[in-house]
Amino acid sequence: MKPQEENTFNSLCFTNFDGKFYARLAAVMPRFFGGAEESKLAGTSARYSCRIKVEYQKDLMGLLEEGMLLAVKNFKQALLSEERYTLMEISRVWPEHFGLRGLSDHGYYPMQFEIIEQSEADWQTDDRSTMMIQIDAIPINYDLVIGENCDFKFVKGFSYPVVGSPVYILNSEMINRMYNQKIAEKIGIDPSKTVDDARLDPRLGVVKMFQTANTVIPIYVDFEKLVRYHFGVFAFTGGGKSNLMSNILRRILLHTNDVKVVVFDISCEYIFLLLDLLADGKIPSKIILEHRIDSIEQFFNTAVKPREYGVDERIKAGLRQIMEQDKVAFYTRPKQKIPTYAQFLEELNEQRKGSTDKPHYLNAIDKIHDAILDYMEVHGLSENQEVNEEFIKHIDGICIETIEEFKVHEKSGLYAWATTRNTIIDQIKRRREEEKKETGGLTAEKIRELLEGETRLVCISISDPLTIKELVITLTHDLLIRRKRMFQVKPYILLVFDEAQEFIPELSGAAGIEKKCSKQVETLLRQGRKYGLGVCIATQRIAYLNTNALQQLHTYFVGTLPRPYDRALISDTFMIDKGILEKTLEFAPGEWLLSSYIATGIENVPIFIKADNAEKEIEKFLKSST
């Protein structure tokens, strides 16, 4: 730090790495100039990019990291007692050597080699006349305001920074406060005592910053807002999607009391990934499989396990605990097809088409139609629900009375329809008898009843795409309709769609049940948050998803996405700068870019994090259960 800057350097908020970091803002450049193509290339979250020049120190390149936050004084100095700084996030760091920069490909070859060779030794010195560090940074649209007593606050909005001003790095304590203070106060924890044990600490992981100094900055999220306002997890195969998802679900279930979780597990991974929770007698849960299982061996072979646990016999002890607690069932489709109220109305409307020349028939149809709607309204029923015996008996009486009143001919189609409604009662009775025989089998309606009871975790492990999509359509529709009718918000229910491309594919390329499923989940995303129904989607190919559904997410975790189109779609959909997003290409498994409009301590600021490893929790459980 230069002598003249020492009096303005606030060590409570900033760090200069023990005097190694001295930097100035060199330029503030507009990001786009009105052209659509330019906007597409530049990203959408910031109107400016900033270039910062740093005096070279040999240790600095090992200390500076993308994602660190910088502060520069701006023109909005409202009060003399306040200092106001524009905050920006490092998107790129690189060193420059004056000799190498002036090197030309047209120069004499031996001379080129000599200059390159001599520059190697320069990097090990602190020669500021020859070398410099350059930083590109993106404003995060927040100002840091520091008062007289070192009180600070973060104010939303962009302020133009003063070019030529010193640049400071926010220290680990300030980063911790910025990301965690609000949430830590809400849930009553001390971030300074953080540990990676899921049962003791609700953190998701640690911030990837100041790691060379062995400083641990945990990262917390507001689980209530995370669940209610939907979130997404996007990464290529091997990026740790399922690991992160199970980590988040574990902490939600352990550290909240009013959240229930339903996992649509088409890849059958979550039996292993949530093994400790499923075997926990204090967490009411249910595993729903595709077929009935009768032995531990069958159960063991049903669950997909990581390679290193493929033949681990310890897992059977955990599975045995789950079976002994009667937490295993299987999905059964209703064999007797009972019509819904909507189908009942459709059949009646079909009779209208052949009766246009008979006004008294139309009057009869209208009377029956109104009677059905009145019954549904009085009893609070929705069109997608199946009819029941009470309704059939009621409407059968109406039908008989109506055909006599309007003199409907006994050989007409309407007469035949109206006088055969009682046969549906036989179907309902046969269905009931079949369900009694199917011990352990659960229909969509029974799964919904589980969620309306004490059950907190339902893991639906069905690998057949058609079966699980049918269940998604029925279950989510029922949950949404019932919540609307009851005006209910709590308990929150989180519906998790791993391999989301199976459930919400792009509508233009979908047909049949795929299209129906995509539209239903989109409806759930649009309307669910009003009624406490949250959605989590995870996928490796975001480009294949229904973009209308994607736009409903308020929080997202982005891992490595090698395909440029996927990254461009994320940049466009979630307004994250491409310069920041490119950093994800360097991520190791378990490293994520987290940003949220609502669930993090400071909204819509990208944070690089390293998630805690869910397999540690499983390993701990396996050791304790054997």
Side-chain angles (χ1 to χ4, degrees), residues 10 62 82 91 107 220 322 324 353 370 389 429 431 491 537:
N10 187 332
E82 287 184 344
S91 61
Y220 297 95
I322 294 170
E324 287 169 354
K353 293 176 183 176
D370 290 347
E389 278 187 62
K429 286 178 179 174
R431 159 85 77 80
I537 61 176

Side-chain angles (χ1 to χ4, degrees), residues 189-206 216-220 247 251 255 610-613 616-617 620:
I189 55 162
D190 182 356
S192 67
K193 296 177 181 175
T194 185
V195 291
D196 66 354
D197 188 316
R199 292 179 181 269
L200 300 176
D201 194 340
R203 77 178 199 187
L204 296 187
V206 297
V216 176
I217 307 171
I219 184 69
Y220 297 95
N247 223 344
R251 281 161 169 81
H255 296 282
K610 182 166 181 58
D612 290 333
N613 189 354
K616 282 187 178 179
E617 299 297 324
K620 232 184 309 183

Side-chain angles (χ1 to χ4, degrees), residues 27-187:
V28 178
M29 299 158 284
R31 295 301 300 273
F32 29 85
F33 309 92
E37 200 59 37
E38 177 68 23
S39 173
K40 198 181 288 185
L41 291 170
T44 54
S45 66
R47 291 182 298 145
Y48 299 94
S49 66
C50 300
R51 176 64 54 83
I52 293 145
K53 297 189 182 288
V54 187
E55 285 192 353
Y56 184 78
Q57 290 263 359
K58 64 181 179 183
D59 299 331
L60 260 184
M61 282 303 295
L63 297 170
L64 294 172
E65 301 172 69
E66 285 96 341
M68 282 183 167
L69 295 184
L70 307 176
V72 186
K73 280 191 176 176
N74 60 47
F75 287 101
K76 278 190 182 173
Q77 294 296 113
L79 301 170
L80 290 175
S81 58
E82 287 184 344
E83 292 179 352
R84 190 161 181 141
Y85 298 85
T86 297
L87 295 179
M88 52 191 72
E89 186 165 4
I90 296 177
S91 61
R92 187 175 166 225
V93 183
W94 73 100
E96 278 192 357
H97 190 287
F98 184 78
L100 293 176
R101 193 170 182 182
L103 194 64
S104 168
D105 283 345
H106 304 293
Y108 183 47
Y109 291 163
M111 190 177 291
Q112 287 187 46
F113 273 104
E114 185 158 344
I115 293 171
I116 293 168
E117 204 173 323
Q118 287 178 359
S119 69
E120 182 190 8
D122 293 342
W123 297 118
Q124 303 308 314
T125 70
D126 292 331
D127 185 356
R128 299 172 188 177
S129 62
T130 308
M131 292 163 297
M132 176 185 283
I133 295 173
Q134 302 261 33
I135 292 176
D136 277 346
I138 310 296
I140 63 170
N141 300 322
Y142 274 93
D143 279 4
L144 168 64
V145 181
I146 303 175
E148 271 183 320
N149 302 317
C150 288
D151 300 325
F152 67 88
K153 59 184 176 181
F154 299 101
V155 180
K156 181 96 173 140
F158 173 76
S159 301
Y160 200 93
V162 180
V163 178
S165 291
V167 178
Y168 307 110
I169 298 174
L170 266 64
N171 62 25
S172 57
E173 179 61 29
M174 182 60 87
I175 295 292
N176 200 344
R177 290 186 198 173
M178 184 176 175
Y179 290 150
N180 295 319
Q181 186 171 25
K182 203 161 51 172
I183 295 169
E185 287 173 359
K186 181 178 178 180
I187 58 181

